[in-house]
Amino acid sequence: MKSGVASRNVVLVGFMGTGKSSVGRLVAARLGFQFIDTDARIIQETGQSIADLFRVRGEGFFRACEARVLDALQTTNSAVVATGGGIVVPPENRPRLAQLGFVVALTADPETILERVSRTTKRPLLQTADPRATITELLSVRTALYQATAHYIVNTTGRSHSEVADDVIASARAFLVEPTS
Ligand code: S3P
């Protein structure tokens, strides 16, 4: 287990619809940490919605913004960082996530993801003719990447944000406390 300066934040990764932002806000409130959402930072910096960024500038532009936001966070302390579901895909982002702090991957089964993401149209990658197939396809690439990046994995299927936040905090506690010797 890592210790010292790298242990200063909690970072949430995981597929769309696994509850990273909602759980992250709760974890931040309970730990007295700042809450940061990489998608929200990108929206703030560009003045455009994620949907517009994908549509007008393309996914490559969005990924470059995401990597830049991740780099800029490296000096952050005492924060809970919720990330976009694709942040683990570019290989150079993965060590940057681990350097930022304790990385927790939130998971959910594909049916739960489909049900949760169907509530909104704000995710450009899932505006396809067959979102179920798209989810399966993206998960087949990304599941191993979340697992390889995370220090800990929490399944959110059938669980409340509050329960998941409790698990995240319990797993992160030992990591966030600086060793005394
Ligand atoms: C994406 C996930 C989204 C957002 C963008 C791309 C992805 O964030 O970053 O639409 O590639 O999985 P959420 O995981 O918060 O939905």
Side-chain angles (χ1 to χ4, degrees):
M1 187 176 278
K2 297 187 304 164
S3 63
V5 72
S7 312
R8 58 203 196 269
N9 303 299
V10 176
V11 183
L12 299 179
V13 299
F15 201 78
M16 296 171 267
T18 52
K20 300 177 297 282
S21 300
S22 306
V23 168
R25 257 185 223 102
L26 272 180
V27 172
R30 291 179 188 176
L31 290 176
F33 279 19
Q34 179 191 4
F35 174 69
I36 296 168
D37 185 303
T38 58
D39 279 352
R41 282 271 161 113
I42 294 168
I43 293 167
Q44 198 181 13
E45 285 178 12
T46 60
Q48 285 184 286
S49 69
I50 304 292
D52 281 350
L53 285 172
F54 270 72
R55 189 173 47 82
V56 179
R57 313 295 298 267
E59 182 172 354
F61 179 83
F62 172 80
R63 295 296 168 208
C65 294
E66 196 170 47
R68 203 173 50 241
V69 165
L70 181 57
D71 276 351
L73 285 175
Q74 296 294 320
T75 52
T76 300
N77 286 301
S78 303
V80 176
V81 181
T83 60
I87 203 164
V88 296
V89 176
E92 62 277 14
N93 286 351
R94 302 200 284 264
R96 305 296 271 160
L97 290 160
Q99 278 157 14
L100 193 54
F102 186 70
V103 183
V104 180
L106 303 186
T107 67
D109 64 42
E111 281 309 311
T112 300
I113 288 172
L114 181 65
E115 194 264 314
R116 291 179 185 164
V117 300
S118 301
R119 295 174 199 155
T120 139
T121 55
K122 69 176 188 174
R123 293 183 175 94
L125 291 180
L126 298 179
Q127 305 313 303
T128 62
D130 187 352
R132 178 181 271 108
T134 308
I135 289 169
T136 305
E137 200 178 305
L138 288 172
L139 277 173
S140 75
V141 174
R142 293 181 177 183
T143 300
L145 303 179
Y146 298 130
Q147 286 170 354
T149 309
H151 299 102
Y152 193 76
I153 297 174
V154 179
N155 188 349
T156 68
T157 305
R159 306 185 67 214
S160 68
H161 292 325
S162 183
E163 288 170 328
V164 174
D166 280 345
D167 270 12
V168 171
I169 290 169
S171 70
R173 280 249 186 250
F175 197 89
L176 292 168
V177 172
E178 297 288 317
T180 49
S181 56

